[in-house]
Amino acid sequence: MAQDGTVRTSLGDAVRQDIGASLAGVDAELARRYPGDPGTRQPVHTVYVPADAFAHDTVRTWGDRALAALDEHAPDAASLAEVLGLPPGSAAAVHDRVRAKLRREPVEDLRIDFEDGYGPRPDAEEDAAAAAAARLVNAAVADGSAPPYLGIRMKCLEAAVRDRGIRTLDVFLTGLMDAGDLPRGLVLTLPKVTFPQQVTAMVRLVEEFEKARGLDAGRIGFEIQIETTQSVLGPDGTATVARFIDAAGGRVTGLHYGTFDYSAACGVSAAYQSMDHPVADHAKAVMQVAAAGTGVRLSDGATNVLPVGPTAQVHDAWRLHYGLVRRSLARAYYQGWDMHPGQLPTRYAAVYAFYREGLPAAAARLAAYVARAGGDVMDEPATARALSGYLLRGLDCGAVDPDEVTAATGLSRSDLDALAGVPGRG
């Protein structure tokens, strides 16, 4: 610094400008490939229902059966706390919120299954089921009974079932469009992907449908199930799932781990196929790194241990499911599959307890960061984004209320959105 207080430099403006110009392509590529979280609500689970079992009252039936299970096996906060090990201070709030959720919105994301849960059928039968699914979805959207997200899981694009999968997708989407438009929360699931070219083919399918029906380009997205070993590690040693995201050209919205297909492909015997097996953890870690920053959401799989039978057996299954969901949440897998109505109480209990128990510490750290008050933890902007995202997820799923968060942090919803780096969640 000179004696007159001016700051001296040695590099001319031309150097800075040249470097900026040389990195312009990299800047554009970073923005394209890593746009960050989309800022929209992510469902806490996906429920899969075989296409031939899907009916106009499926969502309400699941909610009623879940409430009946709760009434029979854990009718009050104390009994639920004893089964799941909930802290006494949060048990009442969790139990009340679970009951309210099961009455109001028991299913957040529903997939009408034409794949493993449906199996091979005569073409006429599957055609009729796909057309019926479209009619039922349209009716549910019209009368307000549809969950926030819903759609179908088609058969995969392997040669043996490719034509059938394409036709089912076409029949379903055509039925939706013939009734007016595609639902806002439409989700399509492509299973058993092994090569990026299959993702490219799926992109071609939805592009052609958009053109045929006069839809805006990019209107239809889809999620990919990661349930083959080839989808995690390619023959050349690369992480294939990253290539899937690139091949989708911005249309892939989620990656869903398939517990049982993937475990079986790795040679894991049936008794040990689980969401917490080491092969599952490896696959999901690869998925997580591949999706980081891309805006593609992650979902864990399911447990096939169902809460049915006598109370002791139901409690065992509930403890297992609750523990697995909490484990997934701690590992930043904020969504998972549910296979039975009896799993809904523990899905929501785990989600609500996760956010309610963590609210005081997260709020205090975020408030201290905003106030630059210090404390015993020195957080950085990236951690502030994570803390804000945590609180936003808690708000989105109903675990905590806006007034609670504002009282604990001094921050509004829009403040949290700004700290999390998203434009606002819907």
Side-chain angles (χ1 to χ4, degrees), residues 53-401:
F54 179 61
H56 72 282
D57 61 349
T58 291
V59 171
R60 186 62 265 154
T61 297
W62 271 61
D64 290 343
R65 290 176 63 187
L67 281 166
L70 195 60
D71 288 339
E72 181 177 357
H73 303 293
D76 53 41
S79 56
L80 186 65
E82 183 178 358
V83 174
L84 303 180
L86 297 173
S90 65
V94 169
H95 190 269
D96 290 347
R97 285 170 189 267
V98 169
R99 291 192 64 85
K101 179 70 169 179
L102 295 176
R103 294 191 188 102
R104 182 184 74 255
E105 188 185 71
V107 174
E108 294 193 359
D109 184 25
L110 187 145
R111 209 69 73 249
I112 306 163
D113 191 16
F114 287 90
E115 204 230 356
D116 285 348
Y118 184 71
R121 307 288 181 98
D123 282 341
E125 183 177 343
E126 185 158 338
D127 279 352
R135 289 194 300 271
L136 290 168
V137 167
N138 279 323
V141 171
D143 68 19
S145 64
Y149 304 92
L150 78 170
I152 66 168
R153 176 168 70 171
M154 59 190 280
K155 289 179 171 63
C156 71
L157 292 179
E158 293 177 353
V161 294
R162 181 182 303 143
D163 289 348
R164 181 63 261 178
I166 293 171
R167 182 171 176 84
T168 296
L169 177 68
D170 190 5
V171 170
F172 177 70
L173 293 178
T174 298
L176 294 178
M177 287 299 301
D178 285 349
D181 200 358
L182 301 180
R184 181 182 177 189
L186 176 69
V187 188
L188 307 174
T189 304
L190 178 65
K192 294 182 174 58
V193 181
T194 52
F195 285 88
Q197 290 88 339
Q198 293 166 327
V199 177
T200 303
M202 184 67 174
V203 172
R204 168 79 186 281
L205 285 174
V206 295
E207 283 179 344
E208 293 296 334
F209 188 88
E210 289 168 349
K211 293 175 185 176
R213 300 305 299 244
L215 294 169
D216 292 339
R219 168 66 179 82
I220 305 174
F222 57 92
E223 61 191 19
I224 298 172
Q225 279 198 268
I226 305 301
E227 51 186 342
T228 67
T229 55
Q230 296 91 342
S231 64
V232 173
L233 192 68
D236 59 354
T238 60
T240 323
V241 64
R243 294 187 174 186
F244 290 175
I245 294 173
D246 190 53
R251 289 183 184 264
V252 63
T253 58
L255 302 173
H256 285 227
Y257 176 67
T259 305
F260 306 106
D261 282 277
Y262 188 85
S263 298
C266 288
V268 179
S269 61
Y272 298 98
Q273 293 176 1
S274 175
M275 295 157 59
D276 59 356
H277 192 281
V279 301
D281 284 342
H282 171 260
K284 289 182 286 187
V286 174
M287 292 166 58
Q288 196 165 41
V289 174
T294 65
V296 176
R297 262 73 179 271
L298 301 171
S299 175
D300 211 331
T303 175
N304 58 1
V305 179
L306 303 182
V308 297
T311 295
Q313 186 171 320
V314 170
H315 285 179
D316 286 343
W318 273 356
R319 278 188 286 268
L320 174 66
H321 185 239
Y322 177 87
L324 289 170
V325 175
R326 288 293 301 255
R327 185 180 190 272
S328 297
L329 291 167
R331 285 157 175 76
Y333 269 75
Y334 300 111
Q335 187 175 350
W337 297 3
D338 289 323
M339 301 176 67
H340 188 275
Q343 292 177 329
L344 298 185
T346 39
R347 168 67 61 182
Y348 293 120
V351 170
Y352 294 165
F354 176 74
Y355 290 108
R356 293 198 66 79
E357 291 169 16
L359 173 62
R365 287 179 66 179
L366 191 60
Y369 172 84
V370 172
R372 298 293 191 269
D376 59 354
V377 178
M378 183 178 293
D379 287 322
E380 298 188 357
T383 305
R385 287 196 298 272
L387 289 166
S388 301
Y390 172 84
L391 296 175
L392 286 166
R393 288 181 183 278
L395 287 166
D396 285 343
C397 73
V400 296
D401 298 326

